[in-house]
Amino acid sequence: MTSVVLPGDPIGSLIGDRRVTASSGGLHAHVYPATGLPNATVALAGAAEVDAAVSAAWEAHREWVAHPADRRRDMLVGLADVVHEHLDELAGLNVHDYAVPISNAGTALLLERFLRHFAGYADKPHGTSSPVSGSFDVNIIEREPYGVVGVIAPWNGALAVAASCVAPALAAGNAVVFKPSELAPLAALRFGELCLVAGLPPGLVNILPAASDGGDALVRHPGIRKIHFTGGGTTARAVLRAATDNLTPVVTELGGKSANIIFPDADLGRAAALAAHQGPLMQSGQSCACASRILVHESVYDAFTEQFLAVIGAARVGDPFDPEVNFGPVISAGSLDRLLNVVHRAVEERAGELLVGGERLVDGALAGGFYMQPTVFGGVDNRSRLAQVETFGPVVSLIRFVDDDEAVRLANDTPYGLNAFVHTADLTRAHTVSRQLEAGSVWVNQFSQISPQGPYGGYKQSGSGRTGGLDGLHEFQQIKNIRIGMG
Ligand code: NAD
């Protein structure tokens, strides 16, 4: 099992063009989940570092908007080129961050794609003009940057959030204070350094690994004009409460309990493979997009289940740096305990029948790591806690339905609304059902594939706002109306 002690210990914040290792947020021992061994000490940002970063960001923002828009576009394209040259390094740091298998560590490429896409917006029109009633005045509607925005990322997606938030924020003319989780700060810090390598003004992108108190200080800072938060619902509630002090606007990208609907006319082999990837296997189910409720039509339930379990049985578990491995550990010992408890309670509450998994994996090289068997419950009651609460681990439910109406009703019957998946060969059914689903994204006959052009975000308790596309750009712009009297 690959395990290294990372150089540069302790790893601190990037503020302006300085790595700051003195830190008011205390120290955090970063543990590599595949071995359970500490591999770095992280100096956590607190209120003092947040304050320094916000000042650096305002200075950089002024320098950034002093460049003509096409120059900013070119600099963002230059950053995309630098990221491209470091894709392997960033992917490797992603693995060190949270032991995501390298076969699944594609978010560095996503970052490059988002940077290229949003660079193109930098010099495009950011507003409109319009006539006004009863007058010949000039009426301009401009979209301006907020100035300095705070971006808070979960441990499972620092580079994905850098892609979906930092790229549009910069294209809109903002500077960013970016807070990765203390559990996974490495790839984000390297991205911050690459912004300097690409020649962006120091302070335009500051990276502050921090725990909850550092995050709270960022949300409450009066110099932060908008917060973009990605994480869980409980933390989102704390962030929204803290933001009321300064009435700072907040965008939230939260969790899910996504349904994957398998209709009888689906290509069952393909649907089973995609359901396994999108369910317990991808990032060991630790993904906001995890389809943890698989709704299967009763006529194909047995055939689908057989193929689904076969794909899961063939999962390659092991060293996350091995390109053949597609199933890794969960993030921490605490998370592993929580997940084993979810299984235990689901059995106790008779939520469904435990078909496979449910135990810690302790064979050979896996013994020290936080590995759990991919776990599947069959015949699950959609009202059970197992089917209603985000699992955030490799534990999924198979649920039967009898007709399209029941499939839609079950899919919508959760507090969440992030993603939904539909497998069918019938185009009319695909359209009809997609329109009825309460979800920000519906993926038909495919798995979730975030793109710079596709707005992503939640309905209901899965969040507000969108990342990606023009909607994602608009989250980082405020609107000004300028009216010039014409006499
Ligand atoms: P989390 O809510 O525990 O933490 C998210 C971030 O908030 C971390 O950086 C954390 O340090 C910070 N934080 C904690 N307390 C804070 C506070 N009081 N003020 C400000 N910041 C604070 O989530 P997590 O465990 O890191 O990530 C898992 C969750 O994220 C899951 O619910 C998952 O579904 C969700 N997620 C959503 C998306 C999406 O795009 N919708 C993407 C990835 C993950």
Side-chain angles (χ1 to χ4, degrees):
M1 188 74 68
T2 312
S3 181
V4 293
V5 174
L6 296 165
D9 223 22
I11 293 164
S13 298
L14 178 71
I15 299 176
D17 55 4
R18 288 179 310 122
R19 285 296 282 267
V20 180
T21 50
S23 188
S24 61
L27 295 175
H28 171 76
H30 181 272
V31 171
Y32 184 52
T35 59
L37 298 172
N39 65 351
T41 303
V42 185
L44 299 174
E49 290 72 32
V50 167
D51 204 37
V54 172
S55 296
W58 273 107
E59 204 172 309
H61 164 66
R62 285 187 280 272
E63 188 182 335
W64 188 229
V65 291
H67 289 295
D70 58 335
R71 174 78 188 118
R72 277 183 270 139
R73 175 205 61 203
D74 291 348
M75 288 167 85
L76 290 175
V77 171
L79 175 58
D81 291 341
V82 170
V83 165
H84 179 78
E85 286 158 19
H86 293 82
L87 285 180
D88 289 345
E89 184 193 354
L90 287 168
L93 286 169
N94 236 346
V95 181
H96 281 299
D97 262 331
Y98 62 102
V100 58
I102 192 109
S103 62
N104 207 227
T107 47
L109 182 58
L110 205 61
L111 174 58
E112 180 191 339
R113 287 185 175 157
F114 269 76
L115 284 165
R116 289 197 196 288
H117 176 78
F118 280 103
Y121 276 124
D123 69 340
K124 302 299 179 292
H126 284 198
T128 53
S129 70
S130 145
V132 276
S133 303
S135 136
F136 294 96
D137 287 357
V138 175
N139 186 40
I140 304 165
I141 299 111
E142 282 198 343
R143 289 185 171 272
E144 296 189 335
Y146 281 88
V148 175
V149 297
V151 174
I152 299 177
W155 60 262
N156 73 332
L159 288 186
V161 173
S164 61
C165 296
V166 178
L170 299 185
N174 300 281
V176 178
V177 180
F178 184 94
K179 191 204 95 54
S181 165
E182 75 277 24
L183 301 177
L186 304 171
L189 278 162
R190 187 64 182 130
F191 168 61
E193 288 176 346
L194 295 179
C195 292
L196 296 171
V197 172
L200 265 53
L204 196 68
V205 178
N206 305 274
I207 312 286
L208 271 64
S212 59
D213 52 351
D216 185 65
L218 180 62
V219 175
R220 290 179 192 276
H221 198 288
I224 292 290
R225 296 288 164 80
K226 186 160 190 177
I227 286 285
H228 197 295
F229 172 82
T230 307
T234 306
T235 316
R237 287 175 177 85
V239 166
L240 288 164
R241 279 193 295 272
T244 57
D245 275 4
N246 297 313
L247 298 176
T248 308
V250 180
V251 174
T252 55
E253 292 277 345
L254 309 178
K257 195 75 196 174
S258 302
N260 187 354
I261 310 176
I262 317 295
F263 285 103
D265 56 10
D267 173 343
L268 283 195
R270 182 178 153 78
L274 293 180
H277 174 73
Q278 192 66 50
L281 299 187
M282 183 176 66
Q283 296 195 25
S284 303
Q286 303 165 112
S287 156
C288 59
C290 175
S292 52
R293 293 182 305 140
I294 304 164
L295 313 184
V296 191
H297 189 268
E298 60 173 1
S299 68
V300 292
Y301 183 88
D302 291 342
F304 174 84
T305 303
E306 191 183 326
Q307 296 186 56
F308 179 66
L309 294 181
V311 180
I312 287 172
R316 297 286 301 267
V317 189
D319 182 347
F321 277 102
D322 178 344
E324 299 296 314
V325 162
N326 67 348
F327 185 76
V330 298
I331 183 68
S332 64
S335 199
L336 180 61
D337 281 349
R338 179 183 60 76
L339 287 159
L340 293 172
N341 204 33
V342 165
V343 173
H344 179 72
R345 213 175 40 204
V347 171
E348 224 174 52
E349 293 174 354
R350 297 178 202 278
E353 181 194 354
L354 180 59
L355 299 179
V356 288
E359 305 280 343
R360 181 176 186 170
L361 280 163
V362 287
D363 298 342
L366 307 182
F370 312 130
Y371 285 88
M372 179 177 179
Q373 293 173 328
T375 301
V376 182
F377 281 86
V380 172
D381 173 1
N382 193 59
R383 291 311 305 160
S384 66
R385 233 184 317 186
L386 176 65
Q388 288 291 314
V389 179
E390 187 182 33
T391 328
F392 218 59
V395 183
V396 300
S397 303
L398 295 171
I399 299 169
R400 284 189 177 83
F401 67 87
V402 295
D403 58 25
D404 293 22
D405 286 346
E406 187 183 26
V408 170
R409 185 179 60 71
L410 290 170
N412 289 341
D413 184 17
T414 78
Y416 297 103
L418 192 56
N419 297 276
F421 301 83
V422 176
H423 287 275
T424 176
D426 180 340
L427 203 54
T428 304
R429 173 181 267 158
H431 275 290
T432 309
V433 169
S434 297
R435 287 192 172 142
Q436 292 171 333
L437 289 168
E438 296 173 348
S441 300
V442 180
W443 310 90
V444 180
N445 296 330
Q446 58 174 320
F447 58 96
S448 64
Q449 301 184 73
I450 304 299
S451 77
Q453 294 83 3
Y456 188 76
Y459 279 25
K460 301 193 287 189
Q461 290 186 23
S462 289
S464 61
R466 292 293 178 272
T467 58
L470 198 50
D471 298 290
L473 182 75
H474 287 169
E475 300 291 0
F476 294 99
Q477 295 174 320
Q478 50 191 345
I479 296 167
K480 179 178 283 174
N481 184 198
I482 303 172
R483 183 166 159 173
I484 302 173
M486 298 297 283

